[in-house]
Amino acid sequence: MSDITETDAGRAATAAEAKPGVAYAGPPMAPAGLIHRLFEAQAARTPDAAALLHASETITYRELDARANRLARHLHALGVGPEVPVGVFCSRTPEMIVGLLAILKAGGAYVPLDPAYPAERVGFMLAETGVRAVVTESRVAGRLPSTSARLVRVDADADAIARQSDEPLHVHVHPENLAYVIYTSGSTGKPKGVQIEHRSTVARLRWLRDSISDAERSAVLGSTSICFDVSIAEIFGTLCWGGQLVLVENALALAALPAGHEVRTACMVPAAAAELLRVGAIPASVRTLGLGGEPVSNELARGLYTLGSVQRVLNLYGPTEDTTYSTCKQAERDPSSAMTVGRTLPGTRAHVLDEAGGACLHGSEGEVCLSGAGLARGYLGRPGATAEKFVPNAFGAPGSRMYRTGDLGRFRADGELECLGRVDQQV
């Protein structure tokens, strides 16, 4: 039996057509690219369109690109280039977005650092990544633990940054170069830095381009901390394809946004969506809700659709180690069966394996493993953990890998993946 490549992601296949334990793959991915080049191309297409909205400030694509170019040149002069990590320690303001873009434009890889994190955790990440510089602001820079990294205060250093050219840099960055390092929660030990390359992120960004309409992208809520990978989809999935990012402190701020902001799409954990639904705080402008990070219940999906304004509820599944999202399922309006996480994204495969590493038959439970375009490079400075979790892919080309998620799941007869908890029951 051979694997099936779908030309229509919505077409159902029978269990007899598919290889046991392997999800139906989407269409082949387009050639890899670079995150910041996608943004630059969009800025060239729509320079006067609104890119970023924060409080009462609106920034166009032209302005956002120019500000990022100036900071990128400043960073490049400090030695930032390919494979060089740079911290971002900013409040949720436009300067944070400028910082992310600038680091990528300079060729570097950004390391998100949250001013709300304990100093011990921030210090650990600074030391392990060995960041060359930290992009920050005077109002939060005092919370940084002692570091040998150069601090680039976007406000205090504004004059020096402003003297740089608005033109983009031409740094030789390759799709296999590092784009960012995001740390896991550390709930099972020390936090691990997941290294994500440009090519993996671009694969997911191209899926977002094809899965979210221009109308849905016209106002996307930017509410997720940059220390969590959903922020990648919010920020770059919006700015690389011509949308407008509405930057707020957190998802619950959606309720307090002025009506004129007219958010069309928002991503959040199901618990936040449930709370907003409970208090009647989901604006009528919202058409699409992407839910992930926790199981999505039929009851929640049904309640969101009952609002009448919400047209799509997406159940999104995927670990940071597979670049944010691995599968997607649009919840049914009147679900009667168990909620699934759907099918794999283009260029990605899911496998359900038994304890011996063999493929489980459809309906049988096993560990969910992932392979394909979204896989991370591995864990920063943790060769043992990388070897344990990123293992040889017996179902792919020689030398390919798969990631062991630790999630328990099974394939239904229609090929959709159902998640059933954790293999080891960890929280």
Side-chain angles (χ1 to χ4, degrees):
M1 293 184 286
S2 61
D3 297 346
I4 292 176
T5 298
E6 292 188 344
T7 55
D8 178 1
R11 178 175 61 84
T14 64
E17 290 179 296
K19 188 174 185 177
V22 182
Y24 314 114
M29 291 303 307
L34 302 173
I35 302 167
H36 56 288
R37 295 298 183 220
L38 295 180
F39 168 74
E40 290 170 354
Q42 183 60 52
R45 287 192 295 269
T46 58
D48 298 319
L52 184 60
L53 178 63
H54 177 254
S56 59
E57 181 183 12
T58 299
I59 300 174
T60 66
Y61 273 87
R62 188 200 311 276
E63 182 183 357
L64 184 58
D65 191 38
R67 287 171 62 172
N69 286 338
R70 291 193 292 269
L71 180 55
R73 288 179 175 275
H74 185 74
L75 292 171
H76 192 61
L78 298 178
V80 175
E83 300 296 315
V84 173
V86 179
V88 180
F89 191 79
C90 293
S91 53
R92 292 188 64 78
T93 62
E95 284 70 28
M96 180 186 75
I97 304 299
V98 170
L100 300 179
L101 287 167
I103 293 166
L104 296 175
K105 283 170 171 280
Y110 74 81
V111 180
L113 306 165
D114 195 327
Y117 278 179
E120 182 181 3
R121 181 181 172 97
V122 174
F124 169 80
M125 293 189 286
L126 287 171
E128 184 168 82
T129 56
V131 296
R132 175 73 56 86
V134 178
V135 176
T136 186
E137 307 160 282
S138 296
R139 58 181 161 181
V140 298
R143 303 179 204 170
L144 274 167
S146 177
T147 175
S148 61
R150 173 71 176 268
L151 298 190
V152 179
R153 296 176 175 86
V154 291
D155 48 357
D157 297 336
D159 289 343
I161 295 169
R163 287 194 293 270
Q164 301 290 341
S165 170
D166 288 353
E167 295 301 312
L169 279 165
H170 296 288
V171 182
H172 293 293
V173 183
H174 299 283
E176 293 77 21
N177 280 135
L178 199 61
Y180 53 88
V181 179
I182 285 189
Y183 274 79
T184 60
S185 64
S187 59
T188 57
K190 283 187 177 180
K192 297 188 290 291
V194 183
Q195 303 177 94
I196 305 292
E197 299 169 347
H198 279 267
R199 60 176 182 82
S200 300
T201 305
V202 168
R204 297 300 184 244
L205 294 180
R206 287 187 168 129
W207 171 74
L208 285 165
R209 174 196 60 192
D210 297 335
S211 302
I212 303 296
S213 69
D214 289 343
E216 290 171 306
R217 247 191 310 270
S218 64
V220 177
L221 191 71
S223 62
T224 303
S225 167
I226 59 172
C227 293
F228 295 97
D229 56 0
V230 173
S231 66
I232 309 302
E234 287 181 351
I235 295 169
F236 300 114
T238 301
L239 297 177
C240 288
W241 308 124
Q244 179 183 213
L245 185 68
V246 181
L247 193 62
V248 297
E249 281 298 316
N250 54 58
L252 296 180
L254 178 63
L257 283 175
H261 287 183
E262 295 291 318
V263 168
R264 296 288 190 275
T265 299
C267 292
M268 61 190 71
V269 294
E275 177 61 15
L276 288 170
L277 179 64
R278 185 186 70 82
V279 299
I282 297 178
S285 62
V286 175
R287 298 288 182 269
T288 300
L289 278 167
L291 306 179
E294 302 167 354
V296 179
S297 68
N298 287 340
E299 180 183 11
L300 175 58
R302 188 180 296 112
L304 293 170
Y305 281 132
T306 300
L307 294 174
S309 52
V310 173
Q311 301 301 306
R312 294 210 295 164
V313 176
L314 304 178
N315 186 11
L316 298 159
Y317 164 77
T320 302
E321 289 86 346
D322 196 44
T323 314
T324 311
Y325 298 139
S326 307
T327 72
C328 178
K329 167 70 174 183
Q330 181 169 326
E332 300 172 10
R333 288 186 171 274
D334 189 19
S336 56
S337 58
M339 179 75 72
T340 77
V341 294
R343 298 174 182 272
T344 50
L345 307 188
T348 292
R349 287 188 180 277
H351 317 260
V352 175
L353 307 182
D354 59 27
E355 292 183 356
C360 295
L361 296 173
H362 284 74
S364 298
E365 299 178 3
E367 182 178 8
V368 177
C369 298
L370 300 163
S371 64
L375 282 196
R377 180 186 292 181
Y379 298 117
L380 178 67
R382 309 289 180 87
T386 298
E388 177 186 357
K389 299 294 285 185
F390 293 86
V391 299
N393 179 10
F395 307 96
S400 63
R401 305 173 303 153
M402 66 169 65
Y403 172 69
R404 299 183 58 186
T405 68
D407 292 330
L408 185 67
R410 65 185 173 197
F411 284 120
R412 302 196 318 182
D414 60 5
E416 292 195 352
L417 180 64
E418 186 178 356
C419 286
L420 305 168
R422 293 288 294 175
V423 171
D424 54 9
Q425 297 304 308
Q426 74 180 33
V427 177

